[in-house]
Amino acid sequence: MPLARLAALHGVATSYSPSPGRTVQASDSAVVTTLAALGVDASTPEAIRHALETREAELRERLLPPTVVGRPDREPAALADLPPGTRVRIETEQGETRASATGLPPGVHTLQATAPDGRTARAHLIIAPEQSPGPAGRTYGLLVQLYSLLSERSWGMGDLGDLTELAAWAGRSLGAGFIQVNPLHAAVPGPPTDPSPYRPSSRRFPDPVHLRIEDIPEYPYLPGPDGEKARGLLERVAALRASVLEKGALIDRDAVWALKREALELVRDVPLGPGRRAAYQGFLAAEGRALEDHATWYALAEVHGSDWHTWPEGLKDPRSAETARAREELRDRVDFHSLLAWLTDAQLATAQRTAYDAGMPIGLVHDLAVGVHPGGADAWALQDYFAAGMTVGAPPDAFNARGQDWGLPPWRPDRLAASGYAPYGDLLRALFRHAGALRIDHVMGLFRLWWIPQGQPPTEGTYVRYDAEAMLAVLALEADRAGAMVIGEDLGTVEPGVRETLHERGMLGTSVLWFERDWDGSGKPLPPEEWRADCLATATTHDLPSTASRLTGDHVELRAELGLLTRPVDEERAEAAADVDEWRALLAQLGLLPGGPGDEEEEIRAVHRFLLRTPARMVGLWLPDTVGDRRPQNLPGTWDQYPNWRLPIADAEGRPVTLEQLAASPRLHALIDVLRP
């Protein structure tokens, strides 16, 4: 079938398998629309024939693909396929000129080939290490959504000062080896701001809402009137913090940012000292156009709103003359947002340095969201690299018959390849800069993503394949340069070969206790010795019930209250109870529950004793589990029915618990004693 052949040549699937032995055909309209988003006209039989002939001729005639991937000790396969007598010239990233691809240093090099028949080609040559760095030994750490970790000093939500304090305490007093946080990416400004950290404006730069204002070196030097204004702000800050910690209010990101922005407008008027000025100028030079675009978008958003699609026509193009003029007219605001990026980067650096100084071998584990908001800064600045008119999601499966639409524009694989994966590499480099490890949300997206035409239901989508070898090579290269690890979030439906490929590249996966069963056999809980070693093993995640909620069945009652159950509540209760009872039985059988069932705190400790019995190289403790928190931070399938991403860490009765109270909690220390090296 011509359409299927054309789709295959562009990495577009015409069918998918939601479960073993079952194949579903993608609709022709989904395939045609997806091809159109890749610049391929398949609207008529004649257009399909022409596009097919053009693509086949292009592949037949070209000497090299736009990006070639190799390893330091072997020649890339694409070079072995060149016609005999082809001359090769390689300009390395390090400034050398080579005539062979063997023995090259890691990097993104420029490759030129000239065939005997006169054909020439120029390509990017990515040489990546065989594996990304791994942990030196087994370690345990804490998992936390930073906004939820309030201290007596934060301004209504957790901040980088709290993260630094947590790192110092957890490393020195608890023997923890890492702290994994939610994505700290810059949000689309509100109000209302989308509280989800997984739908950011920019993944490239962190959000200044996380700044600890008092830790900015210029803050103590606010002159008299501005100092008085700042002190007046602190009274409003105390009221906002008390509303969350004492009065049951939700975390209000917009209220927090309004106060911090007011303070930052004052702080920016304090002159930088010579050393600080030099550091800021160095940051501007190092970040270059990426930072200028980022700050320009935020300056324009203050004037025209936070969706660039609604801006005046000339401003929709970041390279237009109109945008250049607007940038100059708004130079003061562009500089303000550039300054915020620098200040936030500096506090991130402090948090990671503090973690290392406290003895953590890994330190901070940052989180890379799977995509960006379509109206935000990255989608504007890098719009050539995103597929217009498409969003990313998931196909229908056994867990969600309607599929999912995440509302995120996908990378265009052809444009990434043509650039040598430059924007992807720049993004990774920025995130690794202050990280001991990077968690890749939905790591399967490096292999393929479910594209959905905008305005269509998720059922009308199809998979588009990426060059996983290249995506993983860039990831391994940047991880190696940073000396940092990679953790892939590979939960749920995973196509064959993904986990094996990640293992070969030295990248860890993610294993959650309740999902680890013998799915190919008895269906029973998987004994600890049968778990994989190359993973971060946890009892739960931000998208799942807390361990206390799982053990008590509270999560079923919550979903019943919100009308989210698809079966009678009694059936859901019975199934959840049976699942937990099987795990309790295994814990007791292994001698991990000496007092028997019935003691919630002891059962949670038993769950973590079990995790230590597995060969997992990293064991993660969900920080809310240390105080018996019942509420999930995010409840998938809800929007305004549940306060996703707005809850402070709380105890079993729902009372917020500060960082200071966590540090003094007997319940926390009893659980930590299970994990402490």
Side-chain angles (χ1 to χ4, degrees), residues 38 96 103 171 198 201 352 388 438 454 507 515-516 528 561-562:
L38 293 168
E96 300 177 89
Y198 290 94
S201 172
Q352 176 66 342
L438 181 63
Q454 282 182 351
M507 300 173 185
F515 300 154
E516 292 296 314
E561 288 172 15
L562 297 175

Side-chain angles (χ1 to χ4, degrees), residues 219-494:
Y219 179 80
Y221 300 102
L222 284 168
D226 285 349
E228 288 299 320
K229 289 179 184 177
R231 281 186 283 277
L233 266 179
L234 293 179
E235 294 180 6
R236 290 153 59 195
V237 166
L240 180 60
R241 180 172 55 239
S243 71
V244 177
L245 294 177
E246 300 169 16
K247 300 178 181 178
L250 298 175
I251 291 169
D252 186 341
R253 184 192 183 101
D254 291 319
V256 173
W257 177 236
L259 292 171
K260 289 191 176 183
R261 183 178 58 209
E262 196 172 332
L264 289 163
E265 297 283 6
L266 299 174
V267 169
R268 71 174 305 209
D269 290 332
V270 178
L272 298 174
R276 293 273 290 166
R277 170 60 59 182
Y280 179 43
Q281 293 298 329
F283 182 78
L284 293 175
E287 299 305 313
R289 192 168 83 175
L291 177 57
E292 187 172 60
D293 284 344
H294 176 81
T296 298
W297 184 91
Y298 277 87
L300 289 170
E302 291 179 343
V303 179
H304 300 289
S306 56
D307 183 353
W308 63 270
H309 297 95
T310 66
W311 293 355
E313 198 61 35
L315 299 181
K316 294 178 182 178
D317 180 0
R319 307 290 162 247
S320 71
E322 292 90 339
T323 297
R325 283 195 296 272
R327 182 182 293 118
E328 288 310 310
E329 292 168 1
L330 297 170
R331 178 52 60 186
D332 180 67
R333 301 310 298 167
V334 172
D335 185 66
F336 176 66
H337 290 288
S338 299
L339 180 72
L340 298 189
W342 174 59
L343 293 174
T344 313
D345 182 83
Q347 290 195 5
L348 274 173
T350 298
Q352 176 66 342
R353 186 168 56 250
T354 299
Y356 282 152
D357 290 347
M360 289 189 175
I362 298 172
L364 301 184
V365 180
H366 287 295
D367 196 351
L368 173 61
V370 72
V372 295
H373 193 287
D378 283 3
W380 175 73
L382 299 170
Q383 58 191 269
D384 288 347
Y385 294 98
F386 290 104
M390 306 298 291
T391 68
V392 169
D397 57 25
F399 302 100
N400 193 325
R402 292 172 293 186
Q404 301 174 54
D405 184 348
W406 303 332
L408 311 169
W411 289 118
R412 279 187 58 162
D414 56 335
R415 297 272 175 85
L416 284 178
S419 72
Y421 295 82
Y424 172 58
D426 291 344
L427 167 62
L428 293 173
R429 200 171 305 120
L431 290 169
F432 274 124
R433 184 161 59 218
H434 306 308
L438 181 63
R439 174 189 181 270
I440 309 295
D441 188 43
H442 191 68
V443 73
M444 295 80 79
L446 302 183
F447 295 76
R448 64 178 185 177
L449 281 171
W450 184 256
W451 287 24
I452 307 163
Q454 282 182 351
Q456 296 297 314
T459 52
E460 283 298 305
T462 191
Y463 276 114
V464 174
R465 190 157 293 282
Y466 292 78
D467 184 345
E469 183 184 27
M471 299 287 276
L472 292 172
V474 175
L475 181 55
L477 176 63
E478 296 304 334
D480 186 68
R481 285 170 161 165
M485 297 164 41
V486 175
I487 303 166
E489 186 271 295
D490 56 352
L491 300 173
T493 302
V494 182

Side-chain angles (χ1 to χ4, degrees), residues 111-141:
L111 168 64
Q112 298 180 66
T114 304
D117 61 7
R119 284 181 297 156
T120 62
R122 185 182 180 90
H124 304 277
L125 174 58
I126 301 172
I127 300 296
E130 293 284 345
Q131 293 192 325
S132 59
R138 168 177 259 194
T139 186
Y140 97 93

Side-chain angles (χ1 to χ4, degrees), residues 209-230:
V209 77
H210 299 115
L211 281 168
R212 169 66 63 85
I213 300 297
E214 296 92 331
D215 288 351
I216 298 172
E218 287 68 43
Y219 179 80
Y221 300 102
L222 284 168
D226 285 349
E228 288 299 320
K229 289 179 184 177

Side-chain angles (χ1 to χ4, degrees), residues 511-517 531 538-540 583 587 607 610-611:
S511 294
V512 176
L513 181 131
W514 310 102
F515 300 154
E516 292 296 314
R517 288 175 169 269
W531 284 42
T538 70
T540 190
W583 280 102
L587 296 174
V607 163
F610 180 95
L611 294 178

